Structures are given as structure tokens and as C-alpha cells.
Amino acid sequence: VEKGGLAAMELVAITMRSEGMLSCRALSFRGTSFNMRVMPLEREQVAMYTAAAELWQRMLRVLGEMQNAEKRLARQMYGKKTEMRTHVDISFQMRYFWAAQQSFFK
């Protein structure tokens, strides 16, 4: 698991959850094993993955620009010390963005 890094830990967690062995966020890798298989990708697959990664990077930039525009608008409307609670919570947006991105690449 250590050599496989975060991807390997996620693989173990997904497998354990799908088999009902894990029902909480606390992970323990004691007694687990797995085989890591590296599969070579064809040029088309690499190109598709690269295009998808670039798309997600552009979406992240656009989301950041939208959030900054929302902040500027709130300051114009309510003053510099406005509380952003009256607007869409940025951490809420980011949580959904990263969840969608992670789901997309699984």
C-alpha cells in the first residue's frame, strides 16, 4: 500500500466499502493485501485522459472566477464587510466540484 500511494489506499477503501467491510471514514490497512497492475495505455487513451484533465482544470479556473465575481458583487451591494453567508458558500461549491471530479475519474 505504501508504494502505491494514495491511489492504492483509495483502491483498498473502495473495495472494503463495496464488500461491506468498511462502514466509516477511519481506515486501517492491517490484514489487507492487493495486487497493483499497471496497464499500458494506447495513444488514444492518453489523449482522452489528457483532454479530460485539461477540461477539469478549465472548469476549476472558471469556478474560481465565478466565486471571485460573486464576492465582488456582494461587496458592491453590501459593503466591504459583508458576510458571505448570504451567498452560496464557496466551500460547499468546492466540495461538490471535487466530488464530481473524483467520480468522473474513477
Side-chain angles (χ1 to χ4, degrees):
V1 173
E2 289 176 8
K3 284 186 179 182
L6 188 58
M9 290 188 281
E10 182 70 10
L11 176 65
V12 172
I14 290 168
T15 302
M16 292 174 73
R17 277 186 228 134
S18 69
E19 294 179 7
M21 294 185 283
L22 181 67
S23 62
C24 68
R25 287 282 200 191
L27 300 178
S28 172
F29 298 105
R30 190 175 307 138
T32 62
S33 65
F34 71 96
N35 294 323
M36 172 98 54
R37 294 183 183 172
V38 177
M39 305 301 290
L41 299 177
E42 295 177 13
R43 281 188 189 151
E44 288 179 0
Q45 293 170 314
V46 171
M48 187 183 310
Y49 181 88
T50 301
E54 289 171 354
L55 172 66
W56 280 96
Q57 288 173 354
R58 284 194 304 268
M59 288 192 295
L60 179 60
R61 277 194 300 274
V62 168
L63 180 58
E65 291 168 5
M66 291 171 51
Q67 290 169 341
N68 289 335
E70 173 73 16
K71 287 178 192 177
R72 284 192 302 274
L73 180 62
R75 287 186 190 117
Q76 288 173 358
M77 293 174 64
Y78 305 110
K80 289 190 177 196
K81 294 188 178 182
T82 185
E83 291 188 25
M84 291 302 292
R85 280 185 250 144
T86 58
H87 299 277
V88 177
D89 184 13
I90 290 173
S91 65
F92 184 75
Q93 291 174 344
M94 295 310 296
R95 193 174 329 138
Y96 277 97
F97 175 84
W98 292 118
Q101 191 245 22
Q102 188 176 38
S103 178
F104 177 84
F105 280 105
K106 280 190 179 177

